[in-house]
């Protein structure tokens, strides 16, 4: 096993008795194998991406809490060492650029807030003491300011709650919304509002550490000979597809994709695949990159090899049977692992290109008859807007929000928004939403499952109706 550090196992938060809260103020000090290094980081990345995804959805705070608890447990971030190590690995990876630092900070702060909200009163009081070094004011002082404090709390809370005198600079958001009493440079804050202060402090500290790491050239330092095994991992972590490659897509029971019904499933495809399909119909042909992108997608959606051959041959109307067999059939069989070995490690039935590859790993389409790529990335704003209008995706406000994400280069979030707009309440249902916005097949699977679930008069053997025209 490759060991990157030889250090004693940590004392598992014995003192604090706060299993799920960590300020990450001490560097982890225990042994970790190279395999663990990668697995831990990917698990945290999955949680952070889920947080980003959830923030895009219009769901109630209860559902947000429930979904986050679920993913945190599923990815073992309830384990203190795993939580701590994965945070520091991603901290090093995400200090690379301003944009990555901002993203990491946002998601980590949201995760921290979620954990704070789950603390009991006693745990919160402990956290306030430990992390913000704040002590509650004495009973006499509380009594002295009774009238003023009662303006910011109920009489019952006043009787039972502890109050903290905090330097006003730490309570700016509470002051701005008039939620605390200010006197002589101190903000008097009831315990129930102290979460805001802890979160603000967490953000400030993490932002400072990330900036320090970046300025100290820590990321570049990871290139040295000793750390050469982890440097590529750190460098590319933010592009990682967090879904295991082996994971396959499953359509709801009774639904099977065939050469005859692909057309009827197009309304459940993400925009990239819809556009390739539209290009295929218009040109009766697809260029190499689009053939691969769409072919692997269809394979991931469980279209059989025989149906894939039939499907493409039917659409390539201008190509003779002989030419199709010679020039295209081999490639399709190769995609299914039936020809030429498994050059890129693919096995039969595995998924195709993920969003990060489509967005950043393919040569951008350069002519009108090249249909591969991601419309959110590769179309200009005008074309994308026109397409959204043409497909009747959302109302004008929704379309503006999608375009806004594109402007901010958040292409996958734009795609997620597209899903949200065309599948109302999907997120609060039990439709499998994992990796929507990360992988076209996940988008497809979630859309088909959604249609299947919410079609009241459906015949389960039939493909779903269009989500949007
Ligand atoms: S974000 Fe991914 S799934 Fe969505 S359109 Fe782009 S490549 Fe396709």
């Amino acid at each position: 096993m490759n060991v990157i550090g030889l250090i004693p196992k940590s004392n598992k938060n014995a003192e604090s008795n706060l299993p799920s809260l960590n300020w990450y103020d001490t560097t982890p000090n225990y042994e970790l194998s190279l395999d663990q290094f990668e697995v831990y980081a990917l698990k945290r990345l999955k949680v952070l991406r889920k947080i980003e995804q959830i923030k895009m959805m219009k769901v109630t705070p209860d559902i947000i809490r429930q979904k986050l608890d679920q993913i945190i447990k599923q990815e073992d971030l309830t384990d203190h060492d795993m939580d701590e190590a994965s945070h520091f690995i991603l901290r090093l990876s995400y200090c690379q650029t301003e944009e990555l630092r901002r993203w990491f900070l946002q998601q980590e702060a949201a995760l921290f807030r979620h954990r704070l909200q789950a603390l009991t009163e006693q745990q919160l009081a402990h956290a306030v003491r430990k992390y913000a070094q704040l002590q509650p004011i004495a009973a006499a002082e509380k009594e002295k300011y009774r009238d003023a404090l009662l303006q910011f709390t109920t009489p019952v809370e006043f009787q039972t709650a502890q109050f903290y005198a905090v330097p006003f600079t730490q309570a700016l958001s509470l002051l701005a919304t008039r939620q605390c009493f200010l006197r002589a440079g101190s903000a008097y804050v009831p315990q129930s509002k102290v979460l805001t202060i802890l979160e603000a402090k967490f953000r400030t500290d993490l932002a400072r550490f990330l900036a320090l790491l970046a300025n100290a050239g820590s990321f570049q330092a990871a290139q040295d000979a000793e750390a050469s095994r982890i440097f590529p991992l750190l460098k590319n972590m933010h592009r990682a597809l967090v879904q295991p490659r082996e994971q396959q897509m499953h359509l709801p029971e009774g639904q099977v994709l065939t050469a005859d019904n692909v057309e009827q499933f197009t309304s459940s495809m993400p925009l990239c695949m819809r556009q390739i399909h539209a290009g295929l119909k218009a040109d009766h042909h697809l260029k190499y990159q689009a053939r691969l992108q769409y072919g692997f997608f269809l394979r991931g959606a469980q279209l059989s090899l025989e149906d894939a051959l039939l499907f493409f041959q039917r659409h390539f109307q201008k190509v003779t049977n002989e030419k199709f067999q010679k020039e295209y059939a081999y490639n399709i069989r190769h995609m299914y692992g039936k020809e030429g070995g498994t050059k890129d490690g693919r096995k039969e039935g595995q998924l195709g290109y993920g969003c990060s590859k489509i967005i950043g790993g393919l040569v951008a389409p350069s002519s009108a008859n090249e249909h591969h790529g991601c419309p959110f990335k590769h179309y200009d704003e005008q074309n994308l807007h026109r397409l959204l209008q043409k497909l009747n995706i959302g109302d004008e406000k929704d379309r503006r929000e999608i375009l806004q994400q594109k402007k901010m280069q958040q292409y996958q979030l734009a795609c997620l928004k597209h899903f949200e707009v065309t599948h109302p309440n999907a997120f609060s249902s039990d439709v499998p939403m994992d990796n929507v916005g990360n992988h076209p097949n996940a988008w497809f699977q979630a859309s088909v499952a959604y249609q299947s679930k919410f079609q009241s008069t459906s015949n389960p053997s039939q493909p779903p109706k269009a989500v949007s025209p």
Side-chain angles (χ1 to χ4, degrees):
M1 191 175 273
N2 298 310
V3 173
I4 60 166
L6 279 173
I7 321 163
K9 193 85 172 158
S10 68
N11 174 5
K12 194 170 278 206
N13 225 12
E15 182 218 338
S16 69
N17 193 28
L18 293 174
S20 58
L21 193 69
N22 195 331
W23 201 270
Y24 311 108
D25 48 355
T26 3
T27 319
N29 198 17
Y30 41 84
E31 192 174 300
L32 208 62
S33 76
L34 196 56
D35 293 340
Q36 284 171 315
F37 186 90
E38 183 174 9
V39 170
Y40 283 20
L42 289 177
K43 276 174 167 281
R44 191 177 200 89
L45 194 52
K46 195 165 178 186
V47 172
L48 298 187
R49 287 193 181 157
K50 185 76 169 186
I51 289 173
E52 180 186 40
Q53 188 186 57
I54 290 173
K55 281 195 293 192
M56 291 288 296
M57 302 287 181
K58 290 180 190 137
V59 286
T60 63
D62 276 353
I63 291 178
I64 293 180
R65 265 194 297 279
Q66 187 194 329
K67 298 269 177 194
L68 284 184
D69 283 341
Q70 207 178 344
I71 186 90
I72 288 169
K73 200 165 165 212
Q74 181 189 310
E75 298 308 322
D76 303 318
L77 287 204
T78 42
D79 180 276
H80 177 270
D81 289 348
M82 156 81 84
D83 177 50
E84 190 174 57
S86 62
H87 171 88
F88 277 94
I89 296 168
L90 289 194
R91 202 188 260 200
L92 190 51
S93 175
Y94 275 76
C95 74
Q96 290 181 63
T97 66
E98 175 65 40
E99 194 187 335
L100 290 178
R101 288 195 291 277
R102 198 177 322 118
W103 184 88
F104 182 67
L105 184 60
Q106 276 174 5
Q107 316 319 326
E108 283 286 337
L111 176 60
F112 185 78
R113 182 171 57 243
H114 170 73
R115 285 168 160 173
L116 270 181
Q117 284 165 345
L119 296 182
T120 62
E121 244 181 59
Q122 199 190 2
Q123 288 172 322
L124 181 60
H126 178 96
V128 173
R129 265 198 314 280
K130 182 171 178 193
Y131 300 124
Q133 287 85 42
L134 294 175
Q135 293 293 341
I137 58 173
E141 193 177 0
K142 180 175 157 185
E143 205 44 50
K144 183 175 169 191
Y145 300 122
R146 164 186 278 271
D147 291 344
L149 295 176
L150 272 170
Q151 291 176 31
F152 303 96
T153 184
T154 62
V156 176
E157 191 186 7
F158 178 82
Q159 288 306 329
T160 53
Q162 294 185 320
F163 283 78
Y164 296 84
V166 183
F168 80 95
T169 47
Q170 288 183 27
L172 292 177
S173 63
L174 291 176
L175 285 167
T177 47
R178 296 172 186 274
Q179 292 189 69
C180 61
F181 163 55
L182 178 67
R183 190 185 168 279
S186 291
Y188 286 73
V189 181
Q191 188 164 309
S192 59
K193 303 266 169 37
V194 96
L195 291 183
T196 316
I197 291 173
L198 280 177
E199 190 195 333
K201 185 165 163 41
F202 178 82
R203 264 179 179 276
T204 313
D205 286 359
L206 182 54
R208 187 161 44 87
F209 281 125
L210 286 169
L212 276 174
L213 277 176
N215 293 338
S218 304
F219 184 72
Q220 284 73 14
Q223 281 187 85
D224 71 15
E226 202 179 324
S228 61
R229 288 167 303 165
I230 60 167
F231 184 70
L233 275 178
L234 290 172
K235 188 169 189 314
N236 296 310
M237 193 64 75
H238 63 282
R239 295 199 191 98
L241 171 63
V242 286
Q243 177 157 305
R245 295 191 62 171
E246 292 72 24
Q247 190 174 332
Q248 292 188 9
M249 292 293 154
H250 297 286
L251 295 181
E253 214 183 321
Q255 295 198 9
V256 182
L257 197 62
T258 67
D260 294 332
N261 68 9
V262 170
E263 176 75 32
Q264 291 157 276
F265 276 93
T266 51
S267 59
S268 275
M269 292 180 187
L271 214 47
C272 51
M273 301 305 170
R274 281 184 83 159
Q275 285 306 93
I276 296 182
H277 188 86
L280 174 63
K281 277 179 36 182
D283 299 349
H284 303 296
H285 186 257
L286 283 179
K287 288 196 172 268
Y288 179 69
Q289 290 283 10
R291 278 205 312 275
L292 283 189
Q293 187 177 327
Y294 199 35
F296 278 129
F297 166 78
L298 291 175
R299 188 193 64 174
Q302 306 294 292
L303 183 71
S304 69
L305 170 60
E306 293 68 30
D307 278 288
L309 287 164
L310 195 58
F311 172 76
F312 281 107
Q313 188 163 17
R314 273 184 196 162
H315 278 282
F316 285 20
Q317 290 168 1
K318 296 175 192 161
V319 174
T320 62
N321 181 40
E322 194 188 354
K323 187 170 160 128
F324 184 84
Q325 294 304 331
K326 205 162 129 203
E327 291 185 18
Y328 302 106
Y330 177 90
N331 282 338
I332 295 169
R333 282 200 294 273
H334 186 264
M335 273 188 239
Y336 280 75
K338 300 293 184 199
E339 296 278 7
T342 51
K343 196 168 76 175
D344 59 356
R346 293 178 195 283
K347 294 189 195 104
E348 191 171 355
Q350 276 186 231
L351 291 178
Y353 296 168
C355 297
S356 50
K357 175 158 178 120
I358 297 171
I359 289 171
L362 301 180
V363 178
S366 57
S367 65
N369 59 357
E370 285 194 307
H371 304 293
H372 65 277
C374 168
F376 297 110
K377 157 89 193 253
H378 295 120
Y379 287 19
D380 64 27
E381 278 173 36
Q382 229 180 4
N383 277 339
L384 180 59
H385 189 221
R386 214 174 292 136
L387 177 65
L388 297 175
Q389 268 178 331
K390 186 175 139 203
L391 296 177
N392 206 13
I393 291 168
D395 56 22
E396 200 43 45
K397 182 170 167 286
D398 296 325
R399 293 193 279 269
R400 270 204 309 276
E401 280 180 39
I402 291 174
L403 287 168
Q404 186 56 28
Q405 293 294 348
K406 176 191 167 52
K407 265 188 216 154
M408 296 189 308
Q409 302 183 359
Q410 299 284 357
Y411 312 116
Q412 290 168 252
L413 291 187
C415 184
L416 192 59
K417 182 76 194 167
H418 169 205
F419 189 93
E420 189 201 338
V421 165
T422 45
H423 303 76
N425 302 321
F427 203 75
S428 49
S429 69
D430 55 3
V431 166
M433 294 284 297
D434 279 357
N435 275 308
V436 174
N438 272 332
H439 202 291
N441 284 94
W443 206 106
F444 180 68
Q445 176 178 257
S447 179
V448 174
Y450 176 93
Q451 293 300 310
S452 181
K453 186 178 169 66
F454 291 108
Q455 254 181 331
S456 50
T457 56
S458 69
N459 173 352
S461 66
Q462 296 299 310
K465 287 201 186 101
V467 181
S468 59

